[in-house]
Amino acid sequence: MAASAHATSTTDDDADYVAYYNDCMQNPNAFWDQQARQRLQWRQLYDKVADHNLAEGQIRWFTNGKLNVAENCIDRHVESGRGDATALIYEADEPGTTQHITYKELQEQVNRLANVLLQQGVKQGDRVCLYLPMTPYAVYAMLACARIGAIHTLVFAGFSEDALAARISDGDCRVLITADESVRGGKKIPLRQIANDALAQIPGQVRAVLVQERTGKTPPQAYDIKLYEAMAAASPVAESATVDAEDGLFLLYTSGSTGAPKGLLHTSGGYLLYAGYTHEHFFDYKPGDIYACLADVGWITGHTYVVYGPLVNGATTVIFESVPTYPDASRYWEMVERLRINQLYTAPTALRLLMKQGDDFVQKHDRSSLRVLGSVGEPINPEVWRWFHDVVGNKQCRIADTWWQTETGGIMMCPSPLASKEGHKPGAAMHPAVGVVPLLLGTDGQEIKGNDVEGLLCLRDPTPGMARTVFGNHKRFCETYWSHFPGYYFTGDGAKRDSEGHYHITGRVDDVINVSGHRLGTAEVESSLLLHKGVAESAVVGYPHDVKGEGICAYVILRADFEPTGNTAKELKEVVRHHIGAFASPDRVQLVKDLPKTRSGKIMRRILRKIASNQLNELGDLSTLAEPKVVDEIIEGHKEFL
Ligand code: 6R9
């Protein structure tokens, strides 16, 4: 197959790139100042580029700057004569069902929905919860909130009613936008039913429920406001609120090692700038390109690289509602051919799944439009990287292995254009972005200098797109990210700096597992298991899984008065599915009599992780265990999974 001539997007002169990068790094604030003036439309220019106080976990960019995010993502493009350019390509679940939405149409829909929200009494700064499938209405809803200065909080439509209720009440949302059903891979999920169950847990919390009729199959509840009708009746013209650069744009919940998921607050100016800059830079985005990030908007990748980054750049962005294997494993590649996609951004878990299906699905489609292939969410295994590069990209595309987090708002590391010269390293994010200064620290907080070293990955300087706080709990924000190693942001990841100074992310060093690129705290899964009446205690660990990256293994001690049946393991999986969502349901449940604990009663997860990974020769020192024979019993029970 012919590949495009400009496939590998290296700058002509590498020396130029190095000079440019070094120049930016000399004075990142001057760089961001220049970027902010160029890329964003300000209603009032900021008076200071940055104003941080890291001891208090306070990050501020573009102080006193005023803008409107929706105006930057929509109106600016319409006003500059690009109203007829395609903003969204909606690739619906049903194969072959595509809808092109221009910037002008996007503007109209967003305005209508903004007016509906205003009618419902939503005010600037209020939180609005979105529990929606991947259709243009999710984008309309996000931008409608941005238009009126409300803060959206998306809950991924795979989360259960308990998880939804917890997020609505933590964010104190008074309005919910949901759909009757979502459709993915031909399967329907009754979102409105789940939302009703969630609302029943928090009576009086939500005063209005707007329902998108995605399938029209579920009869409306008496209190529902039908979204399509309400939008049709609303005015297509809306006022844009003036918001401060540091006003909230959205909350997004993410898992940490302890406690309930944290609602990270992202703000308007710095986040939008970082989204736009990184989208253009790392994906080599050029006007006219068709860009497809295949993530769901319920995750940070969808926020930054389906919606805000591409739209602030006036790009055409694909809204992909389906799954990579529906109707078969050629869905992505058939879509690349049909839509002439130039940049495709996906996750290792999807690639592993597709790689297993064989190359024919890929090769029967023309992929010559592709220039950049992106990966995010977890380390990409070198063999998967090679498949992505050699088979999917036909050795003609740059691979953007992007490392970042919900907290960072946008890409922090990715092989720079120099990688083509220096040699790509499959599985390595390699180079920090402008303004990003990674440090490797030992557990004692000492910096590990030099090359060929490994340590805890921290970042020295805040970047504009970073989260500003944990909603309603700034103390937790400081404790989680800024006080482990004072003055530095602690990522929770480990990393290696190789002999040439390139970075390789080695994975989480805390009790967070990464299942198909979705972050889960082991404590969250354990708390859900406790909701089953038979569970006395449990310990949850991750283990290598060939498609999901990590699988979930739960070791469960049952209550003495509970008599297990052949169904108990299944029931336990069901409890988690119900409490968090299907993706969090354990792959394995092993009933155990006891757990390996230290004398002070702390569960030694390290040992359980080794057993679950079948690394029985690497259990390490067992001498600190209160009851070492527990380990033999667990190993014996583990055999059922081999
Ligand atoms: C954007 C996103 C963040 C965690 C992060 C790390 C892992 C993400 C990665 C990667 C290695 C990459 N991670 N990208 N690890 N290489 N290219 O995924 O955000 O859901 O918050 O997850 O994902 O462990 O700390 P989030």
mmCIF file with all atom_site columns, all heavy atoms in Angstrom, residues 543-544 606-620 635 638 642:
data_model
loop_
_atom_site.group_PDB
_atom_site.id
_atom_site.type_symbol
_atom_site.label_atom_id
_atom_site.label_alt_id
_atom_site.label_comp_id
_atom_site.label_asym_id
_atom_site.label_entity_id
_atom_site.label_seq_id
_atom_site.pdbx_PDB_ins_code
_atom_site.Cartn_x
_atom_site.Cartn_y
_atom_site.Cartn_z
_atom_site.occupancy
_atom_site.B_iso_or_equiv
_atom_site.pdbx_formal_charge
_atom_site.auth_seq_id
_atom_site.auth_comp_id
_atom_site.auth_asym_id
_atom_site.auth_atom_id
_atom_site.pdbx_PDB_model_num
ATOM 1   N N   . TYR A 1 543 ? -2.618 -8.048  37.982 1.00 0.00 ? 543 TYR A N   1
ATOM 2   C CA  . TYR A 1 543 ? -1.645 -9.008  37.456 1.00 0.00 ? 543 TYR A CA  1
ATOM 3   C C   . TYR A 1 543 ? -1.624 -8.841  35.939 1.00 0.00 ? 543 TYR A C   1
ATOM 4   O O   . TYR A 1 543 ? -2.594 -8.331  35.367 1.00 0.00 ? 543 TYR A O   1
ATOM 5   C CB  . TYR A 1 543 ? -2.012 -10.449 37.866 1.00 0.00 ? 543 TYR A CB  1
ATOM 6   C CG  . TYR A 1 543 ? -3.300 -10.949 37.253 1.00 0.00 ? 543 TYR A CG  1
ATOM 7   C CD1 . TYR A 1 543 ? -3.289 -11.668 36.046 1.00 0.00 ? 543 TYR A CD1 1
ATOM 8   C CD2 . TYR A 1 543 ? -4.536 -10.688 37.844 1.00 0.00 ? 543 TYR A CD2 1
ATOM 9   C CE1 . TYR A 1 543 ? -4.478 -12.093 35.458 1.00 0.00 ? 543 TYR A CE1 1
ATOM 10  C CE2 . TYR A 1 543 ? -5.723 -11.120 37.265 1.00 0.00 ? 543 TYR A CE2 1
ATOM 11  C CZ  . TYR A 1 543 ? -5.687 -11.821 36.076 1.00 0.00 ? 543 TYR A CZ  1
ATOM 12  O OH  . TYR A 1 543 ? -6.858 -12.240 35.494 1.00 0.00 ? 543 TYR A OH  1
ATOM 13  N N   . PRO A 1 544 ? -0.529 -9.248  35.276 1.00 0.00 ? 544 PRO A N   1
ATOM 14  C CA  . PRO A 1 544 ? -0.444 -9.009  33.836 1.00 0.00 ? 544 PRO A CA  1
ATOM 15  C C   . PRO A 1 544 ? -1.547 -9.743  33.080 1.00 0.00 ? 544 PRO A C   1
ATOM 16  O O   . PRO A 1 544 ? -1.820 -10.910 33.353 1.00 0.00 ? 544 PRO A O   1
ATOM 17  C CB  . PRO A 1 544 ? 0.929  -9.590  33.448 1.00 0.00 ? 544 PRO A CB  1
ATOM 18  C CG  . PRO A 1 544 ? 1.669  -9.746  34.723 1.00 0.00 ? 544 PRO A CG  1
ATOM 19  C CD  . PRO A 1 544 ? 0.662  -9.911  35.810 1.00 0.00 ? 544 PRO A CD  1
ATOM 20  N N   . ARG A 1 606 ? 2.428  -6.825  48.007 1.00 0.00 ? 606 ARG A N   1
ATOM 21  C CA  . ARG A 1 606 ? 3.561  -7.194  47.153 1.00 0.00 ? 606 ARG A CA  1
ATOM 22  C C   . ARG A 1 606 ? 3.559  -8.714  46.913 1.00 0.00 ? 606 ARG A C   1
ATOM 23  O O   . ARG A 1 606 ? 3.740  -9.178  45.794 1.00 0.00 ? 606 ARG A O   1
ATOM 24  C CB  . ARG A 1 606 ? 4.851  -6.752  47.876 1.00 0.00 ? 606 ARG A CB  1
ATOM 25  C CG  . ARG A 1 606 ? 6.129  -7.232  47.297 1.00 0.00 ? 606 ARG A CG  1
ATOM 26  C CD  . ARG A 1 606 ? 7.313  -6.675  48.099 1.00 0.00 ? 606 ARG A CD  1
ATOM 27  N NE  . ARG A 1 606 ? 7.358  -7.121  49.498 1.00 0.00 ? 606 ARG A NE  1
ATOM 28  C CZ  . ARG A 1 606 ? 7.814  -8.306  49.892 1.00 0.00 ? 606 ARG A CZ  1
ATOM 29  N NH1 . ARG A 1 606 ? 8.237  -9.186  49.017 1.00 0.00 ? 606 ARG A NH1 1
ATOM 30  N NH2 . ARG A 1 606 ? 7.835  -8.631  51.179 1.00 0.00 ? 606 ARG A NH2 1
ATOM 31  N N   . ILE A 1 607 ? 3.296  -9.466  47.994 1.00 0.00 ? 607 ILE A N   1
ATOM 32  C CA  . ILE A 1 607 ? 3.320  -10.923 47.893 1.00 0.00 ? 607 ILE A CA  1
ATOM 33  C C   . ILE A 1 607 ? 2.131  -11.414 47.061 1.00 0.00 ? 607 ILE A C   1
ATOM 34  O O   . ILE A 1 607 ? 2.270  -12.265 46.183 1.00 0.00 ? 607 ILE A O   1
ATOM 35  C CB  . ILE A 1 607 ? 3.292  -11.536 49.316 1.00 0.00 ? 607 ILE A CB  1
ATOM 36  C CG1 . ILE A 1 607 ? 4.571  -11.126 50.039 1.00 0.00 ? 607 ILE A CG1 1
ATOM 37  C CG2 . ILE A 1 607 ? 3.118  -13.046 49.270 1.00 0.00 ? 607 ILE A CG2 1
ATOM 38  C CD1 . ILE A 1 607 ? 4.610  -11.543 51.488 1.00 0.00 ? 607 ILE A CD1 1
ATOM 39  N N   . LEU A 1 608 ? 0.984  -10.824 47.306 1.00 0.00 ? 608 LEU A N   1
ATOM 40  C CA  . LEU A 1 608 ? -0.213 -11.239 46.547 1.00 0.00 ? 608 LEU A CA  1
ATOM 41  C C   . LEU A 1 608 ? -0.042 -10.922 45.059 1.00 0.00 ? 608 LEU A C   1
ATOM 42  O O   . LEU A 1 608 ? -0.452 -11.693 44.195 1.00 0.00 ? 608 LEU A O   1
ATOM 43  C CB  . LEU A 1 608 ? -1.449 -10.524 47.094 1.00 0.00 ? 608 LEU A CB  1
ATOM 44  C CG  . LEU A 1 608 ? -1.846 -10.949 48.507 1.00 0.00 ? 608 LEU A CG  1
ATOM 45  C CD1 . LEU A 1 608 ? -2.956 -10.060 49.036 1.00 0.00 ? 608 LEU A CD1 1
ATOM 46  C CD2 . LEU A 1 608 ? -2.278 -12.419 48.532 1.00 0.00 ? 608 LEU A CD2 1
ATOM 47  N N   . ARG A 1 609 ? 0.597  -9.797  44.790 1.00 0.00 ? 609 ARG A N   1
ATOM 48  C CA  . ARG A 1 609 ? 0.829  -9.405  43.398 1.00 0.00 ? 609 ARG A CA  1
ATOM 49  C C   . ARG A 1 609 ? 1.716  -10.442 42.698 1.00 0.00 ? 609 ARG A C   1
ATOM 50  O O   . ARG A 1 609 ? 1.478  -10.826 41.566 1.00 0.00 ? 609 ARG A O   1
ATOM 51  C CB  . ARG A 1 609 ? 1.524  -8.039  43.379 1.00 0.00 ? 609 ARG A CB  1
ATOM 52  C CG  . ARG A 1 609 ? 0.861  -7.041  42.477 1.00 0.00 ? 609 ARG A CG  1
ATOM 53  C CD  . ARG A 1 609 ? 1.518  -5.679  42.587 1.00 0.00 ? 609 ARG A CD  1
ATOM 54  N NE  . ARG A 1 609 ? 0.897  -4.849  43.602 1.00 0.00 ? 609 ARG A NE  1
ATOM 55  C CZ  . ARG A 1 609 ? 1.546  -4.150  44.536 1.00 0.00 ? 609 ARG A CZ  1
ATOM 56  N NH1 . ARG A 1 609 ? 2.871  -4.171  44.596 1.00 0.00 ? 609 ARG A NH1 1
ATOM 57  N NH2 . ARG A 1 609 ? 0.878  -3.438  45.401 1.00 0.00 ? 609 ARG A NH2 1
ATOM 58  N N   . LYS A 1 610 ? 2.730  -10.911 43.416 1.00 0.00 ? 610 LYS A N   1
ATOM 59  C CA  . LYS A 1 610 ? 3.642  -11.913 42.838 1.00 0.00 ? 610 LYS A CA  1
ATOM 60  C C   . LYS A 1 610 ? 2.913  -13.231 42.608 1.00 0.00 ? 610 LYS A C   1
ATOM 61  O O   . LYS A 1 610 ? 3.103  -13.884 41.587 1.00 0.00 ? 610 LYS A O   1
ATOM 62  C CB  . LYS A 1 610 ? 4.841  -12.160 43.777 1.00 0.00 ? 610 LYS A CB  1
ATOM 63  C CG  . LYS A 1 610 ? 5.774  -10.975 43.874 1.00 0.00 ? 610 LYS A CG  1
ATOM 64  C CD  . LYS A 1 610 ? 6.604  -10.830 42.623 1.00 0.00 ? 610 LYS A CD  1
ATOM 65  C CE  . LYS A 1 610 ? 7.505  -9.603  42.720 1.00 0.00 ? 610 LYS A CE  1
ATOM 66  N NZ  . LYS A 1 610 ? 8.041  -9.187  41.443 1.00 0.00 ? 610 LYS A NZ  1
ATOM 67  N N   . ILE A 1 611 ? 2.067  -13.617 43.543 1.00 0.00 ? 611 ILE A N   1
ATOM 68  C CA  . ILE A 1 611 ? 1.342  -14.884 43.379 1.00 0.00 ? 611 ILE A CA  1
ATOM 69  C C   . ILE A 1 611 ? 0.389  -14.756 42.188 1.00 0.00 ? 611 ILE A C   1
ATOM 70  O O   . ILE A 1 611 ? 0.359  -15.611 41.304 1.00 0.00 ? 611 ILE A O   1
ATOM 71  C CB  . ILE A 1 611 ? 0.558  -15.267 44.659 1.00 0.00 ? 611 ILE A CB  1
ATOM 72  C CG1 . ILE A 1 611 ? 1.523  -15.447 45.830 1.00 0.00 ? 611 ILE A CG1 1
ATOM 73  C CG2 . ILE A 1 611 ? -0.250 -16.548 44.429 1.00 0.00 ? 611 ILE A CG2 1
ATOM 74  C CD1 . ILE A 1 611 ? 0.840  -15.724 47.172 1.00 0.00 ? 611 ILE A CD1 1
ATOM 75  N N   . ALA A 1 612 ? -0.357 -13.658 42.162 1.00 0.00 ? 612 ALA A N   1
ATOM 76  C CA  . ALA A 1 612 ? -1.327 -13.472 41.071 1.00 0.00 ? 612 ALA A CA  1
ATOM 77  C C   . ALA A 1 612 ? -0.608 -13.451 39.725 1.00 0.00 ? 612 ALA A C   1
ATOM 78  O O   . ALA A 1 612 ? -1.142 -13.893 38.709 1.00 0.00 ? 612 ALA A O   1
ATOM 79  C CB  . ALA A 1 612 ? -2.109 -12.184 41.286 1.00 0.00 ? 612 ALA A CB  1
ATOM 80  N N   . SER A 1 613 ? 0.635  -12.954 39.706 1.00 0.00 ? 613 SER A N   1
ATOM 81  C CA  . SER A 1 613 ? 1.400  -12.885 38.452 1.00 0.00 ? 613 SER A CA  1
ATOM 82  C C   . SER A 1 613 ? 2.137  -14.183 38.183 1.00 0.00 ? 613 SER A C   1
ATOM 83  O O   . SER A 1 613 ? 2.916  -14.269 37.234 1.00 0.00 ? 613 SER A O   1
ATOM 84  C CB  . SER A 1 613 ? 2.420  -11.759 38.512 1.00 0.00 ? 613 SER A CB  1
ATOM 85  O OG  . SER A 1 613 ? 1.829  -10.589 38.990 1.00 0.00 ? 613 SER A OG  1
ATOM 86  N N   . ASN A 1 614 ? 1.952  -15.137 39.069 1.00 0.00 ? 614 ASN A N   1
ATOM 87  C CA  . ASN A 1 614 ? 2.593  -16.437 38.948 1.00 0.00 ? 614 ASN A CA  1
ATOM 88  C C   . ASN A 1 614 ? 4.116  -16.356 39.021 1.00 0.00 ? 614 ASN A C   1
ATOM 89  O O   . ASN A 1 614 ? 4.821  -17.177 38.459 1.00 0.00 ? 614 ASN A O   1
ATOM 90  C CB  . ASN A 1 614 ? 2.155  -17.113 37.642 1.00 0.00 ? 614 ASN A CB  1
ATOM 91  C CG  . ASN A 1 614 ? 2.085  -18.615 37.792 1.00 0.00 ? 614 ASN A CG  1
ATOM 92  O OD1 . ASN A 1 614 ? 1.886  -19.122 38.908 1.00 0.00 ? 614 ASN A OD1 1
ATOM 93  N ND2 . ASN A 1 614 ? 2.281  -19.338 36.700 1.00 0.00 ? 614 ASN A ND2 1
ATOM 94  N N   . GLN A 1 615 ? 4.625  -15.366 39.719 1.00 0.00 ? 615 GLN A N   1
ATOM 95  C CA  . GLN A 1 615 ? 6.084  -15.246 39.896 1.00 0.00 ? 615 GLN A CA  1
ATOM 96  C C   . GLN A 1 615 ? 6.430  -15.812 41.267 1.00 0.00 ? 615 GLN A C   1
ATOM 97  O O   . GLN A 1 615 ? 6.840  -15.088 42.177 1.00 0.00 ? 615 GLN A O   1
ATOM 98  C CB  . GLN A 1 615 ? 6.500  -13.777 39.796 1.00 0.00 ? 615 GLN A CB  1
ATOM 99  C CG  . GLN A 1 615 ? 6.245  -13.209 38.411 1.00 0.00 ? 615 GLN A CG  1
ATOM 100 C CD  . GLN A 1 615 ? 6.442  -11.706 38.370 1.00 0.00 ? 615 GLN A CD  1
ATOM 101 O OE1 . GLN A 1 615 ? 6.120  -10.982 39.312 1.00 0.00 ? 615 GLN A OE1 1
ATOM 102 N NE2 . GLN A 1 615 ? 6.977  -11.222 37.269 1.00 0.00 ? 615 GLN A NE2 1
ATOM 103 N N   . LEU A 1 616 ? 6.233  -17.123 41.370 1.00 0.00 ? 616 LEU A N   1
ATOM 104 C CA  . LEU A 1 616 ? 6.311  -17.724 42.701 1.00 0.00 ? 616 LEU A CA  1
ATOM 105 C C   . LEU A 1 616 ? 7.730  -17.766 43.253 1.00 0.00 ? 616 LEU A C   1
ATOM 106 O O   . LEU A 1 616 ? 7.932  -17.901 44.464 1.00 0.00 ? 616 LEU A O   1
ATOM 107 C CB  . LEU A 1 616 ? 5.683  -19.122 42.676 1.00 0.00 ? 616 LEU A CB  1
ATOM 108 C CG  . LEU A 1 616 ? 4.229  -19.137 42.179 1.00 0.00 ? 616 LEU A CG  1
ATOM 109 C CD1 . LEU A 1 616 ? 3.666  -20.550 42.188 1.00 0.00 ? 616 LEU A CD1 1
ATOM 110 C CD2 . LEU A 1 616 ? 3.346  -18.232 43.041 1.00 0.00 ? 616 LEU A CD2 1
ATOM 111 N N   . ASN A 1 617 ? 8.711  -17.632 42.347 1.00 0.00 ? 617 ASN A N   1
ATOM 112 C CA  . ASN A 1 617 ? 10.096 -17.640 42.840 1.00 0.00 ? 617 ASN A CA  1
ATOM 113 C C   . ASN A 1 617 ? 10.538 -16.277 43.323 1.00 0.00 ? 617 ASN A C   1
ATOM 114 O O   . ASN A 1 617 ? 11.651 -16.117 43.787 1.00 0.00 ? 617 ASN A O   1
ATOM 115 C CB  . ASN A 1 617 ? 11.059 -18.082 41.722 1.00 0.00 ? 617 ASN A CB  1
ATOM 116 C CG  . ASN A 1 617 ? 10.756 -19.494 41.293 1.00 0.00 ? 617 ASN A CG  1
ATOM 117 O OD1 . ASN A 1 617 ? 10.316 -20.298 42.132 1.00 0.00 ? 617 ASN A OD1 1
ATOM 118 N ND2 . ASN A 1 617 ? 10.962 -19.784 40.023 1.00 0.00 ? 617 ASN A ND2 1
ATOM 119 N N   . GLU A 1 618 ? 9.671  -15.300 43.171 1.00 0.00 ? 618 GLU A N   1
ATOM 120 C CA  . GLU A 1 618 ? 10.085 -13.928 43.514 1.00 0.00 ? 618 GLU A CA  1
ATOM 121 C C   . GLU A 1 618 ? 9.285  -13.354 44.671 1.00 0.00 ? 618 GLU A C   1
ATOM 122 O O   . GLU A 1 618 ? 9.034  -12.159 44.723 1.00 0.00 ? 618 GLU A O   1
ATOM 123 C CB  . GLU A 1 618 ? 9.916  -13.026 42.285 1.00 0.00 ? 618 GLU A CB  1
ATOM 124 C CG  . GLU A 1 618 ? 10.815 -13.412 41.144 1.00 0.00 ? 618 GLU A CG  1
ATOM 125 C CD  . GLU A 1 618 ? 10.465 -12.670 39.865 1.00 0.00 ? 618 GLU A CD  1
ATOM 126 O OE1 . GLU A 1 618 ? 9.972  -11.531 39.951 1.00 0.00 ? 618 GLU A OE1 1
ATOM 127 O OE2 . GLU A 1 618 ? 10.676 -13.253 38.795 1.00 0.00 ? 618 GLU A OE2 1
ATOM 128 N N   . LEU A 1 619 ? 8.866  -14.224 45.573 1.00 0.00 ? 619 LEU A N   1
ATOM 129 C CA  . LEU A 1 619 ? 8.025  -13.724 46.658 1.00 0.00 ? 619 LEU A CA  1
ATOM 130 C C   . LEU A 1 619 ? 8.789  -12.836 47.628 1.00 0.00 ? 619 LEU A C   1
ATOM 131 O O   . LEU A 1 619 ? 8.200  -12.054 48.362 1.00 0.00 ? 619 LEU A O   1
ATOM 132 C CB  . LEU A 1 619 ? 7.384  -14.892 47.410 1.00 0.00 ? 619 LEU A CB  1
ATOM 133 C CG  . LEU A 1 619 ? 6.443  -15.762 46.577 1.00 0.00 ? 619 LEU A CG  1
ATOM 134 C CD1 . LEU A 1 619 ? 5.802  -16.838 47.449 1.00 0.00 ? 619 LEU A CD1 1
ATOM 135 C CD2 . LEU A 1 619 ? 5.363  -14.920 45.930 1.00 0.00 ? 619 LEU A CD2 1
ATOM 136 N N   . GLY A 1 620 ? 10.113 -12.954 47.617 1.00 0.00 ? 620 GLY A N   1
ATOM 137 C CA  . GLY A 1 620 ? 10.932 -12.091 48.473 1.00 0.00 ? 620 GLY A CA  1
ATOM 138 C C   . GLY A 1 620 ? 10.877 -12.522 49.929 1.00 0.00 ? 620 GLY A C   1
ATOM 139 O O   . GLY A 1 620 ? 10.510 -13.648 50.252 1.00 0.00 ? 620 GLY A O   1
ATOM 140 N N   . ILE A 1 635 ? -1.040 -19.973 47.497 1.00 0.00 ? 635 ILE A N   1
ATOM 141 C CA  . ILE A 1 635 ? -0.410 -20.516 46.281 1.00 0.00 ? 635 ILE A CA  1
ATOM 142 C C   . ILE A 1 635 ? -1.163 -21.760 45.816 1.00 0.00 ? 635 ILE A C   1
ATOM 143 O O   . ILE A 1 635 ? -1.419 -21.939 44.621 1.00 0.00 ? 635 ILE A O   1
ATOM 144 C CB  . ILE A 1 635 ? 1.086  -20.842 46.538 1.00 0.00 ? 635 ILE A CB  1
ATOM 145 C CG1 . ILE A 1 635 ? 1.852  -19.533 46.741 1.00 0.00 ? 635 ILE A CG1 1
ATOM 146 C CG2 . ILE A 1 635 ? 1.675  -21.672 45.406 1.00 0.00 ? 635 ILE A CG2 1
ATOM 147 C CD1 . ILE A 1 635 ? 3.309  -19.699 47.083 1.00 0.00 ? 635 ILE A CD1 1
ATOM 148 N N   . HIS A 1 638 ? -4.301 -20.728 44.139 1.00 0.00 ? 638 HIS A N   1
ATOM 149 C CA  . HIS A 1 638 ? -4.022 -20.004 42.889 1.00 0.00 ? 638 HIS A CA  1
ATOM 150 C C   . HIS A 1 638 ? -4.002 -20.967 41.688 1.00 0.00 ? 638 HIS A C   1
ATOM 151 O O   . HIS A 1 638 ? -4.259 -20.555 40.551 1.00 0.00 ? 638 HIS A O   1
ATOM 152 C CB  . HIS A 1 638 ? -2.665 -19.306 43.056 1.00 0.00 ? 638 HIS A CB  1
ATOM 153 C CG  . HIS A 1 638 ? -2.068 -18.771 41.816 1.00 0.00 ? 638 HIS A CG  1
ATOM 154 N ND1 . HIS A 1 638 ? -2.539 -17.629 41.185 1.00 0.00 ? 638 HIS A ND1 1
ATOM 155 C CD2 . HIS A 1 638 ? -1.041 -19.215 41.050 1.00 0.00 ? 638 HIS A CD2 1
ATOM 156 C CE1 . HIS A 1 638 ? -1.816 -17.394 40.106 1.00 0.00 ? 638 HIS A CE1 1
ATOM 157 N NE2 . HIS A 1 638 ? -0.903 -18.344 39.998 1.00 0.00 ? 638 HIS A NE2 1
ATOM 158 N N   . LEU A 1 642 ? -4.552 -21.545 36.708 1.00 0.00 ? 642 LEU A N   1
ATOM 159 C CA  . LEU A 1 642 ? -3.446 -21.807 35.770 1.00 0.00 ? 642 LEU A CA  1
ATOM 160 C C   . LEU A 1 642 ? -3.910 -22.640 34.585 1.00 0.00 ? 642 LEU A C   1
ATOM 161 O O   . LEU A 1 642 ? -4.897 -23.338 34.655 1.00 0.00 ? 642 LEU A O   1
ATOM 162 C CB  . LEU A 1 642 ? -2.293 -22.483 36.503 1.00 0.00 ? 642 LEU A CB  1
ATOM 163 C CG  . LEU A 1 642 ? -1.686 -21.629 37.615 1.00 0.00 ? 642 LEU A CG  1
ATOM 164 C CD1 . LEU A 1 642 ? -0.550 -22.371 38.307 1.00 0.00 ? 642 LEU A CD1 1
ATOM 165 C CD2 . LEU A 1 642 ? -1.167 -20.292 37.086 1.00 0.00 ? 642 LEU A CD2 1
#
